[in-house]
Structure formats: C-alpha cells, structure tokens
Amino acid sequence: MVTVDSEALSQVLGAIDLRVGVGRRERLDAGGLLPLAPGDATLVYVAEGAVRGIPPLDSGCRLDIDRDSHRVEVDGPKGSAVLHRGDAFLTLGRGPVALVSDEATTLIVVALELADLTPALRSALPDYITVTGFDVLEPAAAALAENMGPVVPSEHPKRQGDPLICRLMATTVLLSVIRSWAENGCAPEGWPHVSKDPFLDRVVEAIHQAPGREWTVERLAGVGAMSRSAFAERFRSAIGRSPADYVTEVRIDAAKRMLEAGRSVSETSRELGYSSDEGFSRAFRRRTGVNPSAWRRLPVPA
C-alpha cells in the first residue's frame, strides 16, 4: 500500500481546475441502461438501488468498505463490481462505459471537465475510480451527493437550481471521492508527487504530443536537459514509474481513442510507433485485458 502524504495530497487536489456541471437525477427501471459517452468525465453516486458496468467496473484498483466493521479492502473480489446505495464511481471518459440497473435505481450524475490537468496528474488518475461504501468513508460528502439534483422541482426551485451552489457541492463530492480512493490504498506509486518539475513536465508533454515517436531514455533525457542516469531516477521518483512504462501507458490510452474512432488495428499500430501489429496487440492486451480488435467491437454509447 502506498502511503500518501495528506498535505501533498491536499496540494494536488487544490491544484485541479474543475468545471463542474449541475448534478441531475437519473431514475432507471430494472434493466435500464445509462450510457456514459467517451470523452466526458462523469461522477456517479448511487442514491438508491444497484448498477453494474459495461465493461465491468472492477478493473484497476477498486476500494471496498465493509459497512459493519468499516474495514477497507483494496481490490475486492472480482465479479463483485456491483455498485449499491452509498457507492461512488468516477470515469475520466477514456472509453465507452454504460451502467445497467439490477433493480429500480436512482443515480446522481454530474458531468465534469477536468481542465488544465498536467499530463503527469492526468496519467496518475486511472480510467475508473470506484469507491464502495463512500457514505461510510465520507458521510458529509455523501450527504451532499444525496441532495444534488432536484428531487421535487416545485419545492425550493431557486435553491435547488442555483448553479454556483450545485457546482460547489459537486466539487466537494468529487474531491472527496479522489481523496478517499488515494488515502485508503489505491494511489499509484509516487502519488501524489506528480511532477512540479518544469524539466520533467517538458518531457511528459513531449510524450503526450507525439506518443508514436521512438522514445528512448537517451532521447527523453535530452528533452529534459538531463543525463541519462539522472533523468531515469528523477522520472521514476516524480512520476512513480519508469519512462518506458509511462510511454507505453500513453500509447495504449491513445490507442483506445483511435480504435473507438474506427481506426484499424494496423493503422493504430503504425501511428503509435509499433514495429508490428503483433507487438502492439500484446502490449494492448497486457494493459486492457482484451485485444485491439475486441476493443473496437465494444459498443460506444450514443
């Protein structure tokens, strides 16, 4: 488990520039479907009922809380990725996601725009953040979530519809979700010490701008105006992973978006710098659990 410095975490969360939409209530009958379009970051709080995800929401690091003992478990049992009342879910919109209700369900849904995230911070956040028992870990934030979105429009319409108040509430809930996820064992190595180093920021930006370039350690060190040995150690300390692993992660994230847009496997492989489709497919499957062709066939919500 990664130990998170609370002061550093507060600085990271305080630096996130949020543009938050007004929360809305989505009521689903049993078997109802709520698509979340790729490209849109979305915060979801389960006010009533239960939902599961397509694809399953147990990928990545999942935080589970026993409601009786308040014991926190990281990476709970696979196949348990059904969200119940009091659970929270955040998707950064890197791929298509749909929520399917197992029973009559009420969801609080907030559209987000995470503006001006540094590339390092954007990479540090996973595709999904899932916190079961969010109402146990963060009861005050959960109470805010319960009251986002008009319940009865005729009652207190001005207060419920005040955009400033709604956005402040949504921002509080969002940051509480990220904080509980990070502080209870799901933070990646190096979190929250994402780079505030202008030389490393230059390197990270270069990778994101041209993920298909042949990025050797020497070339990356040159972008950061450092020696090879100093760069590799400094990068791992600040970002929490090796330069090569970071390049692969950025490439696979780009590949997901290209495949979802209808690009072929071969075209995607070539543009992202892979010498063969087979090598690209192996790298993609290691990161996502499916091959690129299967990813292209995943339904994209309208």
Side-chain angles (χ1 to χ4, degrees):
M1 178 183 297
V2 176
T3 300
V4 174
D5 181 273
S6 295
E7 183 177 350
L9 177 59
S10 295
Q11 291 175 355
V12 169
L13 296 181
I16 298 177
D17 181 11
L18 295 171
R19 295 182 186 138
V20 183
V22 175
R24 70 182 193 274
R25 286 181 177 257
E26 293 281 354
R27 290 185 171 86
L28 303 177
D29 295 328
L33 181 71
L34 176 66
L36 305 176
D40 296 335
T42 307
L43 173 67
V44 177
Y45 179 79
V46 184
E48 294 177 352
V51 291
R52 52 191 169 82
I54 304 175
L57 306 181
D58 56 4
S59 62
C61 183
R62 174 183 168 87
L63 193 65
D64 291 297
I65 295 90
D66 185 277
R67 293 182 177 277
D68 295 324
S69 66
H70 291 197
R71 179 185 175 189
V72 177
E73 181 179 356
V74 177
D75 279 337
K78 296 299 180 183
S80 65
V82 177
L83 302 184
H84 300 274
R85 179 173 183 172
D87 297 346
F89 168 68
L90 171 67
T91 173
L92 294 190
R94 291 172 179 156
V97 182
L99 299 178
V100 182
S101 58
D102 287 348
E103 56 190 83
T105 297
T106 300
L107 303 174
I108 308 297
V109 182
V110 185
L112 309 168
E113 182 179 344
L114 303 178
D116 299 329
L117 286 184
T118 66
L121 179 55
R122 187 176 294 278
S123 176
L125 292 172
D127 292 352
Y128 312 137
I129 288 178
T130 303
V131 181
T132 69
F134 177 67
D135 57 340
V136 174
L137 277 178
E138 299 281 353
L144 287 178
E146 288 274 3
N147 290 284
M148 291 194 303
V151 180
V152 181
S154 61
E155 295 181 6
H156 311 294
K158 291 184 179 179
R159 185 179 66 185
Q160 291 184 339
D162 187 314
L164 176 59
I165 292 176
C166 291
R167 287 183 174 88
L168 288 173
M169 292 169 66
T171 299
T172 300
V173 174
L174 171 66
L175 296 183
S176 297
V177 168
I178 296 175
R179 179 182 293 278
S180 60
W181 170 85
E183 287 185 334
N184 286 282
C186 277
E189 188 68 36
W191 174 278
H193 304 293
V194 293
S195 174
K196 292 185 179 179
D197 183 322
F199 295 99
L200 286 182
D201 284 346
R202 186 188 307 166
V203 172
V204 170
E205 193 67 40
I207 295 170
H208 280 259
Q209 287 179 352
R213 190 175 181 186
E214 187 179 351
W215 288 118
T216 63
V217 173
E218 290 82 2
R219 179 168 287 171
L220 291 170
V223 172
M226 287 175 260
S227 69
R228 184 184 187 280
S229 58
F231 164 73
E233 181 178 352
R234 194 160 154 184
F235 190 96
R236 183 182 288 275
S237 176
I239 307 300
R241 67 204 78 180
S242 70
D245 189 57
Y246 188 85
V247 169
T248 299
E249 184 169 319
V250 172
R251 285 179 172 178
I252 298 305
D253 283 344
K256 291 176 184 178
R257 294 189 293 270
M258 293 170 67
L259 294 168
E260 288 158 9
R263 306 281 285 276
S264 71
V265 173
S266 293
E267 184 182 8
T268 302
S269 172
R270 287 194 304 272
E271 187 163 328
L272 292 176
Y274 288 91
S275 58
S276 68
D277 291 355
E278 292 77 12
F280 166 60
S281 295
R282 284 195 300 271
F284 191 92
R285 189 165 53 248
R286 279 196 298 269
R287 296 278 172 165
T288 66
V290 298
N291 61 43
S293 297
W295 188 274
R296 290 183 79 239
R297 293 193 294 270
L298 287 174
V300 178

